[in-house]
Amino acid sequence: MSAPPSPEWMERYRERVNADPEMQVIGDWFSLDFKLSFEGDSWLIPVRRGRIAEIVHRPRFDRPARFTVSAPMRVWNKFIRPDPEPLYHDFFAMLMRVPEFEIDGDSLAAMQNARALHRMMNILKTMEPLDGRS
Amino acid sequence: MADLEPVVGRYLNLESGGRSYRIFYEEAGTGRPLICLHTAGADSRQFRHVLNDPEITDRFRVLAFDLPFHGRSNPPDGWWLEKYRLTTNVYLGLIRDFWRALGLERPVVMGCSMGGAIVLKVAADHQDEIAGIVGLESTAFAEGRDNDFLHHPAIHGGELAACYTYGLNGPDSPEEGCRENWWYYSQSGPGVYKGDVWYYCEDWDAREDIKRIDTDRCKVSLLTGEYDYSATPEMTRQAADSIPGCRFTVMRGIGHFPMVENYGLFRGYLLEELASMV
């Protein structure tokens, strides 16, 4: 077990996404708000033209999200690490094979932006492990 | 001096199952024929490294063809009046008619993913005509891949198919190989990947057929990547367990597209299996 991301960790994620050269190529049409939920602790990720505009911890009801990507920490911990085990090594792998990894909400919007969303998930995968292991 | 590859592309006019096809294929090398079958929604470019590997082409005549609707093989006449769905019978017939039309004697048939599936049926039904099969990411039965977003008017199907399959690469495979395969996937026609997936997860079931394979007559090698979450090593193992004398290896560090995502690592596994075929 480990703690969900800290505000500092999420801010580093925002910086990494916004500095990513590929997001600058593919992100022009990716403008929506979605949530990342770490064992129920959620963060709103408002994206504008492929850049994260802000990070909002535990958004209130007046900040709706088009969809939420959620999983328990033990699943996120297997994904966010440099040597992921099979089935936990990719966003789409987990969607297919890890039942606790879910997209709720407007999954059509998620798949319309599959390339940029997938890239953002792959950047998330490269963040510092949340369980302190590397 | 132009830096030409030894690979040559040709078109074959082929009758199969009562329909006429114009089939594109690439070939290189001399020796026993080695027919290569691409994955769902892709084309024979996935085998460019095999076609360019002199350690293989010195001993094998490598031929990789595009299925109809894929790459440079046109759909058959009247395609606009039918929903594209590949079937086991059509797929099997096309492969058989391809080697018969070219007069290929005792070929080795190698396929990946849906190609790795159908080679099991090739071995079951034509074991006296071929030398053996190399199944990459093979399963005798697979379900649960289809979804409506794969062919949807509000989604770029090429981008989705390319992203959907990108995760099937091993996490440490060289990025250029994975991206190359992404590019191939992004180019399939509308609904083609979905039509191939329909075959793979709705029509395909060879669990009984593979019990007929006699490995004394037709050699069987199955290679599956450790990181393949579509055709998992366990799924291939289940097929291998039904084929006495079958060789089965889990390829460490590799995903679902060994011949394109990480050829440098894959070729060691492949050379060993090809050596067992001759």
Side-chain angles (χ1 to χ4, degrees):
Chain A
M1 181 58 78
S2 62
S6 65
E8 295 75 22
W9 193 94
M10 289 301 295
E11 186 57 35
R12 287 197 296 279
Y13 174 59
R14 182 169 86 103
E15 290 168 0
R16 205 170 288 189
V17 169
N18 290 351
D20 182 61
E22 186 173 357
M23 284 301 293
Q24 291 167 28
V25 172
I26 65 177
D28 285 355
W29 290 91
F30 192 22
S31 294
L32 53 73
D33 294 6
F34 73 97
K35 280 198 293 190
L36 290 174
S37 178
F38 299 82
E39 198 150 322
D41 193 51
S42 59
W43 296 82
L44 187 73
I45 314 289
V47 182
R48 298 295 176 268
R49 294 179 63 84
R51 294 173 60 85
I52 298 177
E54 59 177 330
I55 297 269
V56 183
H57 194 199
R58 296 171 187 165
R60 287 155 41 105
F61 67 93
D62 58 351
R63 297 298 303 268
R66 294 285 290 279
F67 57 87
T68 300
V69 180
S70 64
M73 285 309 299
R74 62 189 150 74
V75 170
W76 283 119
N77 287 337
K78 289 184 177 183
F79 176 67
I80 302 169
R81 54 180 305 104
D83 55 346
E85 62 186 88
L87 311 187
Y88 294 87
H89 63 283
D90 184 83
F91 169 73
F92 283 112
M94 294 202 295
L95 270 186
M96 182 172 180
R97 294 293 187 191
V98 180
E100 296 158 298
F101 186 82
E102 296 179 321
I103 291 185
D104 291 324
D106 188 353
S107 55
L108 173 63
M111 292 304 108
Q112 285 175 317
N113 294 284
R115 188 176 179 186
L117 178 63
H118 196 203
R119 180 65 188 163
M120 286 182 67
M121 290 295 122
N122 281 338
I123 293 170
L124 188 70
K125 192 170 68 171
T126 67
M127 294 293 293
E128 304 83 15
L130 291 161
D131 58 0
R133 296 186 300 158
S134 59
Chain B
M1 188 76 174
D3 185 13
L4 292 174
E5 297 185 7
V7 183
V8 174
R10 300 202 66 170
Y11 288 94
L12 168 69
N13 291 296
L14 183 71
E15 296 290 322
S16 185
R19 305 192 79 169
S20 301
Y21 297 97
R22 185 172 188 250
I23 298 292
F24 177 77
Y25 69 97
E26 295 182 330
E27 72 166 286
T30 55
R32 182 178 293 280
L34 171 63
I35 299 171
C36 301
L37 308 173
H38 59 75
T39 64
D43 60 64
S44 59
R45 286 176 294 178
Q46 290 178 316
F47 287 98
R48 72 178 180 95
H49 299 296
V50 176
L51 285 155
N52 274 295
D53 188 334
E55 204 164 337
I56 293 174
T57 54
D58 283 352
R59 293 174 294 144
F60 289 90
R61 179 185 175 191
V62 182
L63 305 103
F65 72 91
D66 295 340
L67 272 180
F69 293 87
H70 300 70
R72 294 172 72 168
S73 291
N74 286 352
D77 191 29
W79 62 270
W80 56 92
L81 297 176
E82 61 191 81
K83 185 173 287 189
Y84 172 69
R85 277 180 173 172
L86 184 64
T87 66
T88 302
N89 285 340
V90 166
Y91 196 5
L92 182 67
L94 283 162
I95 298 162
R96 177 200 61 219
D97 294 335
F98 178 79
W99 83 58
R100 288 181 180 172
L102 290 177
L104 306 178
E105 300 225 343
R106 302 269 295 165
V108 173
V109 186
M110 174 166 74
C112 185
S113 184
M114 73 170 191
I118 198 69
V119 294
L120 296 171
K121 181 78 168 160
V122 171
D125 287 11
H126 299 291
Q127 47 199 305
D128 291 325
E129 282 188 71
I130 63 174
I133 60 167
V134 179
L136 310 175
E137 324 304 323
S138 296
T139 63
F141 180 67
E143 56 186 347
R145 284 146 188 75
D146 196 15
N147 70 73
D148 286 340
F149 290 161
L150 295 178
H151 188 202
H152 190 289
I155 294 178
H156 189 299
E159 276 206 350
L160 179 59
C163 294
Y164 193 62
T165 53
Y166 189 80
L168 287 163
N169 296 294
D172 293 326
S173 287
E175 185 167 10
E176 64 269 26
C178 304
R179 297 279 188 169
E180 181 177 319
N181 198 48
W182 191 100
W183 186 248
Y184 299 155
Y185 264 90
S186 73
Q187 294 172 10
S188 72
V192 170
Y193 178 64
K194 184 173 173 60
D196 287 344
V197 167
W198 186 86
Y199 146 75
Y200 192 53
C201 67
E202 298 291 338
D203 191 50
W204 173 246
D205 185 350
R207 286 175 290 183
E208 290 302 316
D209 298 286
I210 59 178
K211 295 174 182 172
R212 298 198 304 271
I213 300 173
D214 177 357
T215 52
D216 287 334
R217 292 148 72 196
C218 170
K219 292 174 177 158
V220 176
S221 289
L222 303 181
L223 298 169
T224 293
E226 174 187 19
Y227 281 91
D228 189 342
Y229 62 84
S230 177
T232 65
E234 181 52 34
M235 291 165 74
T236 306
R237 186 182 307 282
Q238 288 173 12
D241 286 346
S242 293
I243 310 171
C246 160
R247 292 164 59 95
F248 168 51
T249 305
V250 176
M251 299 181 286
R252 298 295 165 198
I254 290 180
H256 190 70
F257 305 104
M259 64 287 183
V260 60
E261 71 172 77
N262 194 347
Y263 187 69
L265 184 56
F266 167 61
R267 78 184 291 273
Y269 291 104
L270 177 60
L271 289 170
E272 192 171 334
E273 298 313 311
L274 289 178
S276 78
M277 293 281 154
V278 293

